[in-house]
Amino acid sequence: MSLSMASFRGNVLGLLAGQLTRLALQAGYFVILARMLGATGYGAFAAAIALCALVTPFTSLGANTLMLKNVSRDATSAAREWKKALAYTVMGGLLLAAVLTLLAHLIAPPELSRLSIFQIAIAELIGLKLVELTGAVWQGLGQSRPLIVWPTLLNLIRLVAAGATFFWVGESSLELWATIYTASTLPLGLLVAMRTTSKLGYTKGGMRLRGRDVKEGLLFSVAMSSQNVYNDIDKAMLARIDSVGAAGVYSAAFRIIDMAYAPIRSISAAAYPLYFREGEGGLAAALQLTRKITAPVLIVGSLAAIGAFVTAPVAPLILGADYESAIDVIRLLAPLILLRGLTFLAADTLTGCGRQGFRTGTQIAVAVANICMNLILIPSLGIIGAVVATLFCEFLLASILWIYIYVARKRTGGDVHSKLASEQFLGGKG
């Protein structure tokens, strides 16, 4: 299936509009939450979210990504793939929420109670995941609207919940907010899941994951978890090793950088199903799509990084005096926006053409390196140590993936149809 750039641009613009709307809602929600919980409370909450992010990819054993890939290539499989992904997501979410709660005293800062962790885990591993799963199945069917509308509505509900709590209570305890957070997330996830099930229809059977599917799904899961490790583990480690106050400042700065990444995220979301379609032609075919979107990613990433650096002093004026030190952290993290853009281009190129095995292995190695660097740097450098580890590991990941692609293309002679030779060199589709 050839790429329609007009359709792609339309999807990017639609997703960008949704991202900008969510960005405005997230900004309001973030400001209220940071003020309501303070640096210490926000740091503990961010640590809980980070812990959930580490296990989120395993809720469905990769069935969600397999669903997107299969539906993108065969629309008639939507009902069967949706049913499978939905069941594994709910069951896996409940199981992992229980595991996190049981291990809370080993991995979470003491400021987090078991009840708070369980509530936040249910919200993230089931409520939020169902919203994302709904968007993914419709994205695979070529309809990007649900991918825009439902996450936007979720952010609006969270904003209203945070605003109402701050208005009526003022400074809130983390325990109270964890309960409200769950109540503002889980019902929407259940609602959109039931709505999608009704629209796609019910299909009998199809619940079993084949051995090949489990292997591929686990590769997707491990890759995403590894990515979340080097994106989020530093927040949990800061809260545990340094202080929840430091984790709060760092998490606030990281959240601002993440919001600045929104335009690139729109391009990534629009391109992801196209990578599966174009990638059927092999690495060279996937790279044709990459070449078409590289310039916009580099331009947008550079502008966003510069914007974050220049506007950093505004952060404590909005968030409060507790976040004064976030200015330097934001400026140091600004290059991460461009680095993440380069990483996504290389990583999704490999995923689209069936090279998930190398991507996963590299992400695991980088995640381990990130943990080791944080263990060494945080005790002596605190927040700056976490920043150094994050930037270095993102640069390392992007460099390895792009070098791998360059060598692979040289070995296959640049022929779009040289998929077999490429597979021999790269070790198969694993």
Side-chain angles (χ1 to χ4, degrees):
M1 185 179 299
S2 62
L3 170 66
S4 169
M5 287 307 293
S7 174
F8 173 73
R9 291 190 194 100
N11 286 335
V12 169
L13 290 176
L15 289 167
L16 180 57
Q19 284 280 353
L20 293 177
T21 303
R22 290 202 299 275
L23 189 61
L25 296 173
Q26 287 174 354
Y29 163 71
F30 166 56
V31 170
I32 293 173
L33 197 61
R35 284 187 170 274
M36 180 172 65
L37 297 178
T40 298
Y42 184 74
F45 178 68
I49 296 295
L51 290 174
C52 291
L54 301 183
V55 300
T56 294
F58 295 101
T59 53
S60 61
L61 295 178
N64 54 336
T65 307
L66 289 171
M67 175 191 71
L68 177 58
K69 185 190 78 170
N70 294 334
V71 172
S72 296
R73 293 177 175 177
D74 179 14
T76 62
S77 68
R80 181 178 67 254
E81 295 294 332
W82 163 256
K83 177 185 175 182
K84 186 188 305 180
L86 178 62
Y88 280 94
T89 295
V90 173
M91 291 186 296
L94 287 171
L95 176 62
L96 291 174
V99 171
L100 278 180
T101 304
L102 290 174
L103 299 179
H105 66 288
L106 298 176
I107 56 179
E111 288 80 1
L112 275 169
S113 67
R114 288 180 185 271
L115 178 59
S116 295
I117 288 183
F118 180 74
Q119 290 175 321
I120 294 171
I122 289 294
E124 290 290 296
L125 302 181
I126 298 181
L128 176 60
K129 197 67 179 177
L130 289 178
V131 172
E132 294 176 347
L133 195 67
T134 300
V137 70
W138 291 112
Q139 182 188 21
L141 290 169
Q143 301 179 37
S144 60
R145 186 176 177 182
L147 193 64
I148 300 169
V149 173
W150 295 125
T152 301
L153 180 57
L154 177 60
N155 282 287
L156 176 60
I157 293 172
R158 287 177 173 177
L159 173 61
V160 171
T165 304
F166 190 49
F167 178 78
W168 290 108
V169 180
E171 291 188 8
S172 173
S173 67
L174 181 57
E175 287 73 18
L176 174 61
W177 173 245
T179 301
I180 296 172
Y181 183 75
T182 305
S184 62
T185 303
L186 185 59
L188 180 63
L190 297 174
L191 174 64
V192 298
M194 290 188 291
R195 180 183 175 89
T196 299
T197 301
S198 175
K199 284 193 171 185
L200 292 179
Y202 179 79
T203 178
K204 293 184 178 180
M207 288 294 294
R208 184 179 178 183
L209 285 174
R210 296 172 298 175
R212 183 166 61 99
D213 291 335
V214 172
K215 179 183 176 182
E216 187 175 4
L218 284 175
L219 284 174
F220 286 127
S221 297
V222 173
M224 182 58 67
S225 181
S226 301
Q227 178 178 316
N228 290 344
V229 166
Y230 55 76
N231 281 339
D232 295 307
I233 193 64
D234 44 11
K235 303 173 185 65
M237 294 178 72
L238 268 171
R240 187 81 181 185
I241 298 174
D242 195 319
S243 69
V244 288
V249 170
Y250 179 77
S251 298
F254 202 95
R255 183 64 177 269
I256 291 171
I257 294 299
D258 189 62
M259 289 191 291
Y261 184 74
I264 297 181
R265 188 177 292 109
S266 300
I267 298 174
S268 172
Y272 197 53
L274 295 179
Y275 268 116
F276 285 124
R277 298 174 192 173
E278 299 297 311
E280 286 189 286
L283 178 61
L287 278 171
Q288 289 183 335
L289 171 57
T290 301
R291 292 189 187 99
K292 293 178 180 180
I293 64 177
T294 295
V297 168
L298 295 179
I299 293 171
V300 170
S302 299
L303 292 176
I306 293 171
F309 185 91
V310 172
T311 60
V314 178
L317 299 178
I318 298 174
L319 302 179
D322 285 352
Y323 300 90
E324 184 68 32
S325 57
I327 296 175
D328 293 334
V329 181
I330 293 170
R331 285 178 166 172
L332 290 172
L333 285 173
L336 184 63
I337 300 171
L338 187 57
L339 287 174
R340 287 174 66 178
L342 292 171
T343 299
F344 122 68
L345 288 170
D348 283 5
T349 297
L350 292 174
T351 295
C353 67
R355 306 293 176 254
Q356 185 65 35
F358 183 81
R359 173 181 176 173
T360 299
T362 304
Q363 287 181 313
I364 292 173
V366 171
V368 172
N370 184 270
I371 293 173
C372 292
M373 289 187 69
N374 278 305
L375 286 172
I376 295 171
L377 297 177
I378 288 178
S380 58
L381 298 177
I383 293 178
I384 300 302
V387 171
V388 171
T390 295
L391 291 174
F392 175 80
C393 288
E394 194 69 47
F395 174 78
L396 179 65
L397 178 61
S399 298
I400 293 174
L401 294 181
W402 277 114
I403 290 172
Y404 182 83
I405 290 173
Y406 174 78
V407 173
R409 291 288 292 120
K410 294 288 286 185
R411 289 289 294 268
T412 55
D415 184 5
V416 173
H417 301 290
S418 59
K419 187 175 179 182
L420 179 59
S422 177
E423 286 177 357
Q424 292 172 345
F425 170 66
L426 297 173
K429 282 195 172 188

